[in-house]
Amino acid sequence: MSYGVYVVPTVPVQYTWGNLKALWRELLLPRSDEIFGGSLWVKDYETGAEMEDAVSVTDGLSEKPDGERICEFSTSGILLFTKTTSLSPYKDGERKFIERYRNKDQAFLETVWQGWKASGIMFNAESYTGQGRSKYEKSLLVTLAAAIGKLCDGYIAFNREFDLELPIGLYSPDEFLAARPKQP
C-alpha cells in the first residue's frame, strides 16, 4: 500500500527547491543527517535532470503538456507530483475537492478554496513501494507535506487511511506534524 497526501496552497507559490529542501531537513531534525546522508537531491522523474536549488518549484510547469511535473528525491520511495489546477483531475473542480473534507466549517473551506484558486497549483506527495519500504517512509511524507504547506500557507488533505490519529480531512502543517501514529 502506498501513502499519499495533497497539499493545497492558499497563496501563490514563490519558493525554490532549495527552500523546500532546507525546511524539510529542519523538520526532520535531529534525524535529517541519518535519513538523508550527505545529500538531498530532487530530480525530474521523466528527464532525470536535477532541480537546481535556486529554481522555483513552479518554473517550467506551464510548458508541460499536461501541466504536471513528477519529481523524485534522493530518499527512497518518495515522489512529488506538482500540477496546475487549470487541468484539475477532479471533474467537479477544486471546490468539490475541498468541500468533501468535513472536519472544517464551510466558511473556512471557502477561504481555502479562494486561496487555492488564486494559487493555481496543487501538490500530491506520495510514497511508493517499488524500492521497498523505508523505515522513515511516513516521517518523510509527513514532513515533506508539512514543509510544502508551511512554504505556501497550504493545507494538507488526505482521503484514505494514513496511520495517523487524525480522521480523514484537511489540516494545517502544524496539525499534521503534531499527529501521533496510530497504535496497533
Side-chain angles (χ1 to χ4, degrees):
M1 173 165 88
S2 66
Y3 297 100
V5 296
Y6 297 97
V7 182
V8 178
T10 61
V11 296
V13 175
Q14 299 179 350
Y15 61 89
T16 65
W17 289 107
N19 299 139
L20 175 58
K21 289 172 13 181
L23 184 54
W24 194 14
R25 276 186 176 279
E26 182 181 319
L27 292 175
L28 281 166
L29 286 174
R31 300 176 312 186
S32 61
D33 286 341
E34 174 187 343
I35 293 169
F36 294 126
S39 71
L40 170 57
W41 49 256
V42 184
K43 291 185 179 178
D44 183 298
Y45 192 74
E46 294 174 356
T47 66
E50 190 163 342
M51 308 307 284
E52 298 295 326
D53 284 352
V55 172
S56 168
V57 296
T58 59
D59 276 6
L61 195 58
S62 61
E63 289 116 42
K64 297 270 190 181
D66 59 358
E68 179 178 64
R69 176 186 295 124
I70 303 171
C71 288
E72 64 178 328
F73 296 89
S74 53
T75 59
S76 66
I78 302 291
L79 294 177
L80 177 63
F81 298 80
T82 308
K83 189 166 190 72
T84 58
T85 55
S86 61
L87 300 169
S88 176
Y90 306 98
K91 63 183 176 189
D92 295 328
E94 293 82 13
R95 183 183 289 267
K96 295 285 186 202
F97 177 86
I98 291 294
E99 288 176 346
R100 69 183 177 173
Y101 296 103
R102 306 264 186 243
N103 66 318
K104 304 290 185 188
D105 68 44
Q106 195 60 38
F108 176 82
L109 294 176
E110 180 67 21
T111 300
V112 171
W113 179 73
Q114 291 294 336
W116 184 21
K117 191 168 77 168
S119 80
I121 199 163
M122 73 179 293
F123 298 94
N124 179 13
E126 291 192 12
S127 66
Y128 63 97
T129 57
Q131 298 175 355
R133 293 262 182 233
S134 160
K135 69 180 182 177
Y136 300 113
E137 177 181 23
K138 291 177 196 164
S139 294
L140 287 166
L141 201 55
V142 166
T143 52
L144 174 61
I148 294 167
K150 284 176 175 282
L151 288 167
C152 63
D153 291 338
Y155 289 87
I156 293 109
F158 61 98
N159 55 14
R160 61 182 173 178
E161 287 298 315
F162 194 70
D163 290 339
L164 294 175
E165 289 184 353
L166 289 174
I168 290 170
L170 188 66
Y171 297 94
S172 72
D174 290 332
E175 289 172 315
F176 200 59
L177 281 170
R180 300 173 63 73
K182 284 184 180 177
Q183 298 302 314

